[in-house]
């Protein structure tokens, strides 16, 4: 018998020979998704639920409602960007672009397609995101046993990602755009068909500073929110890299630059046609200009500034 300890499998280096890896951040693995790594075993042939949807919590379904509702709205956004930016950028003319706008707009602004592509997806996307945040807050309070108001104040809310923050900032800006270009014309005149690119161009010439600032905020925040959201859905977000080697930080930084470059390209294309062509189209002259002047004067001041 020897007094020396037996050799370890790593060649005698002991615990110092183990490879040091970085711990996984807590926020990257929410508590409600931890069961996905080790699903509960079930008897073979048993049914998971009455509807066959599986034994998942509310967060699972809220996350999927938020995800799939963005698919439908992306279809509308693609048509809208094409009509208000890409086509004006190609034609270099507001008048010529109006023809394509009036030709394709009935397909995504009809009584059937507009609720399915715009209204319901927006409500589902925003509502599920807010519900998911409140649900995670409730789970955190239950996990730490917070009962009194003082205990609840000590427990922080779930961290707010940059994509979610952009989404919350986009809600009032996009809502004001919808109100001024769709809801208010229907209320004032019973129709919104007169809201064309010439109408928007006329508004830019009357209120250039407010119009350019408002549309720049709408396009910038919208482009970054959409791009980062799709990067997350497709698994290309920087925090979705699970490698533990030394190149992990390099790959995360590379993805960060790529996603932001794509967002900048989308925003630049959107602004190039929307602001560069439509916004600088100038005040419409002749009978169209007088008609738009009457329409602007009949609307409240806050609508004319939009």
């Amino acid at each position: 018998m020897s007094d020396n300890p037996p050799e370890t499998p790593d060649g005698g280096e002991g615990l110092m020979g183990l490879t040091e890896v970085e711990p996984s951040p807590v926020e990257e693995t929410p508590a409600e998704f931890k069961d996905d790594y080790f699903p509960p075993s079930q008897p073979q042939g048993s049914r998971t639920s009455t509807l066959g949807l599986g034994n998942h919590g509310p967060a699972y379904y809220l996350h999927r409602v938020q995800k799939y509702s963005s698919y439908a709205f992306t279809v509308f956004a693609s048509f809208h960007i094409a009509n208000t930016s890409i086509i004006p950028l190609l034609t270099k003319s507001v008048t010529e672009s109006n023809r394509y706008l009036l030709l394709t707009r009935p397909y995504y602004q009809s009584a059937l397609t507009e609720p399915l592509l715009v209204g319901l997806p927006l409500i589902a996307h925003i509502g599920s995101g807010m519900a998911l945040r409140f649900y995670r807050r409730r789970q955190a309070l239950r996990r730490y046993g917070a009962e009194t108001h003082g205990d609840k104040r000590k427990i922080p809310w779930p961290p707010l990602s940059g994509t979610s923050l952009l989404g919350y900032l986009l809600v009032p800006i996009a809502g004001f755009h919808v109100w001024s270009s769709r809801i208010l014309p229907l209320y004032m005149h019973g129709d919104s068909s007169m809201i064309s690119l010439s109408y928007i161009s006329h508004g830019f010439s009357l209120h250039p500073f407010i119009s350019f600032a408002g549309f720049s905020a709408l396009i910038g925040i919208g482009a970054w929110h959409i791009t980062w959201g799709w990067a997350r859905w497709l698994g290309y977000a920087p925090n979705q890299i699970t490698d533990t080697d030394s190149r992990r930080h390099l790959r995360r930084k590379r993805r960060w630059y790529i996603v932001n470059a794509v967002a900048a390209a989308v925003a630049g294309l959107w602004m190039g046609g929307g602001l560069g062509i439509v916004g600088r189209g100038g005040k419409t002259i002749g009978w169209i200009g007088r008609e738009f002047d009457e329409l602007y004067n009949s609307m409240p001041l806050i609508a004319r500034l939009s």
Side-chain angles (χ1 to χ4, degrees):
M1 298 290 293
S2 174
D3 296 335
N4 296 329
E7 294 186 1
T8 57
D10 56 3
E13 296 179 1
L15 296 177
M16 297 302 295
L18 298 178
T19 302
E20 184 179 357
V21 297
E22 296 183 0
S24 176
V26 176
E27 60 269 17
E28 293 185 6
T29 309
E32 58 267 23
F33 294 119
K34 290 183 178 179
D35 293 337
D36 293 344
Y37 293 100
F38 304 99
S41 58
Q42 296 179 349
Q44 187 175 4
S46 62
R47 296 172 60 186
T48 56
S49 66
T50 305
L51 300 177
L53 299 177
N55 297 322
H56 299 289
Y60 177 88
Y61 298 105
L62 288 174
H63 183 265
R64 275 147 182 79
V65 170
Q66 186 184 35
K67 177 179 180 179
Y68 296 126
S69 61
S70 65
Y71 289 7
F73 187 76
T74 301
V75 176
F76 161 76
S78 301
F79 280 106
H80 195 58
I81 294 175
N83 282 329
T84 60
S85 177
I86 298 178
I87 294 178
L89 200 61
L90 294 175
T91 61
K92 306 293 184 181
S93 172
V94 176
T95 305
E96 291 295 328
S97 301
N98 270 329
R99 300 179 181 179
Y100 296 94
L101 175 67
L102 299 177
L103 180 63
T104 58
R105 188 168 60 180
Y107 291 99
Y108 63 86
Q109 283 190 357
S110 66
L112 178 63
T113 57
E114 189 172 24
L116 294 178
L117 294 179
V118 185
L120 293 179
L122 271 181
I123 295 175
H125 189 72
I126 299 172
S128 60
M130 297 179 64
L132 184 60
R133 182 165 177 80
F134 281 107
Y135 175 77
R136 287 174 174 172
R137 168 66 174 174
R138 179 185 175 187
Q139 291 295 97
L141 296 178
R142 293 181 57 185
R143 188 178 304 113
Y144 292 102
E147 297 180 355
T148 64
H149 181 69
D151 294 338
K152 295 179 180 179
R153 292 183 59 183
K154 295 178 182 179
I155 299 176
W157 280 76
L160 188 65
S161 64
T163 307
S164 299
L165 179 60
L166 291 174
Y168 287 118
L169 293 176
L170 188 61
V171 169
I173 300 176
F176 185 74
H177 176 65
V178 173
W179 176 78
S180 60
S181 61
R182 293 289 292 155
I183 300 176
L184 189 61
L186 288 174
Y187 174 76
M188 297 292 297
H189 305 281
D191 188 14
S192 62
S193 60
M194 77 289 293
I195 307 299
S196 60
L197 297 180
S198 299
Y199 177 88
I200 301 298
S201 181
H202 187 73
F204 270 93
S205 65
L206 293 180
H207 309 284
F209 178 77
I210 297 178
S211 297
F212 275 96
F215 275 92
S216 296
L218 174 64
I219 293 173
I221 296 176
W224 257 266
H225 175 72
I226 293 173
T227 304
W228 275 93
W230 270 102
R232 182 184 177 187
W233 298 151
L234 298 176
Y236 290 120
N239 60 355
Q240 291 177 311
I241 295 179
T242 58
D243 295 344
T244 57
D245 55 11
S246 58
R247 296 175 57 86
R248 181 188 183 208
H249 293 287
L250 181 61
R251 294 185 60 192
R252 293 185 64 172
K253 184 180 296 186
R254 187 181 304 165
R255 284 194 181 185
W256 187 88
Y257 281 114
I258 292 175
V259 175
N260 279 291
V262 173
V266 173
L269 179 64
W270 199 346
M271 289 184 179
L275 302 184
I277 304 299
V278 179
R280 297 176 62 186
K283 186 173 183 179
T284 308
I285 60 175
W287 69 272
I288 298 180
R290 291 192 297 270
E291 180 179 301
F292 285 162
D293 280 335
E294 295 176 359
L295 182 60
Y296 264 82
N297 294 330
S298 66
M299 286 188 175
L301 177 61
I302 190 172
R304 286 180 267 158
L305 296 180
S306 62

